[in-house]
């Protein structure tokens, strides 16, 4: 592994890692704020930058079985949420490839 290049986002309402302030996404990337994470409210993003993905795992949620991966901050390795790899229910297919981040672990950067 060489240097890890971090992407810096521009725009209003940038969401960053609360631990190390690495940029992760902007308000424009949010698909929904109606998600439930481990720590309360969570946001569904169609795109997130500066993350590492963990191993695939199956997780049963209120909406059924999903295959997901943990999503970690590329700089401080905090687990920030998860990414949907596969949804087994047609109603949830739209989530595949999308990323959920815990609102409690985000800060707004400017
Ligand atoms: Zn971080």
């Amino acid at each position: 592994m060489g240097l890890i290049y971090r992407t810096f986002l521009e725009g209003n309402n940038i969401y960053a890692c609360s631990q190390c302030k690495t940029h992760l996404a902007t308000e424009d990337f949010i698909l929904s704020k109606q998600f439930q994470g481990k720590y309360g409210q969570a946001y569904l993003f169609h795109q997130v930058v500066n993350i590492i993905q963990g191993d695939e795992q199956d997780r049963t949620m209120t909406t059924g079985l999903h295959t997901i991966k943990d999503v970690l901050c590329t700089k401080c390795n905090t687990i920030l949420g998860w990414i949907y790899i596969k949804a087994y229910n047609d109603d949830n297919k739209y989530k595949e490839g999308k990323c959920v981040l815990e609102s409690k672990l985000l800060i707004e950067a400017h």
Side-chain angles (χ1 to χ4, degrees):
M1 298 293 286
L3 285 171
I4 295 174
Y5 293 97
R6 287 191 288 154
T7 304
F8 290 90
L9 298 169
E10 290 181 12
N12 297 319
N13 299 321
I14 294 166
Y15 292 99
C17 173
S18 63
Q19 301 297 311
C20 70
K21 301 186 171 56
T22 292
H23 288 182
L24 300 167
T26 75
E27 183 94 36
D28 296 337
F29 297 170
I30 293 182
L31 293 172
S32 171
K33 290 188 171 181
Q34 307 298 321
F35 274 66
Q36 186 69 27
K38 283 181 197 163
Y39 308 107
Q41 190 183 17
Y43 303 153
L44 183 70
F45 293 91
H46 69 79
Q47 186 189 346
V48 176
V49 300
N50 298 324
I51 52 157
I52 307 166
Q53 295 180 14
D55 294 331
E56 266 188 29
Q57 52 186 293
D58 289 333
R59 191 177 291 175
T60 303
M61 303 183 182
T62 53
T63 48
L65 178 65
H66 299 79
T67 301
I68 59 109
K69 290 178 177 178
D70 284 334
V71 162
L72 291 74
C73 172
T74 197
K75 186 176 181 197
C76 70
N77 285 336
T78 299
I79 296 175
L80 299 168
W82 65 89
I83 185 166
Y84 290 101
I85 305 303
K86 186 168 170 55
Y88 293 87
N89 172 330
D90 285 345
D91 291 345
N92 295 306
K93 284 282 178 200
Y94 75 96
K95 297 179 194 166
E96 290 181 354
K98 309 295 193 301
C99 193
V100 173
L101 300 180
E102 306 270 357
S103 69
K104 201 164 234 175
L105 302 178
L106 303 177
I107 54 166
E108 286 190 32
H110 298 285

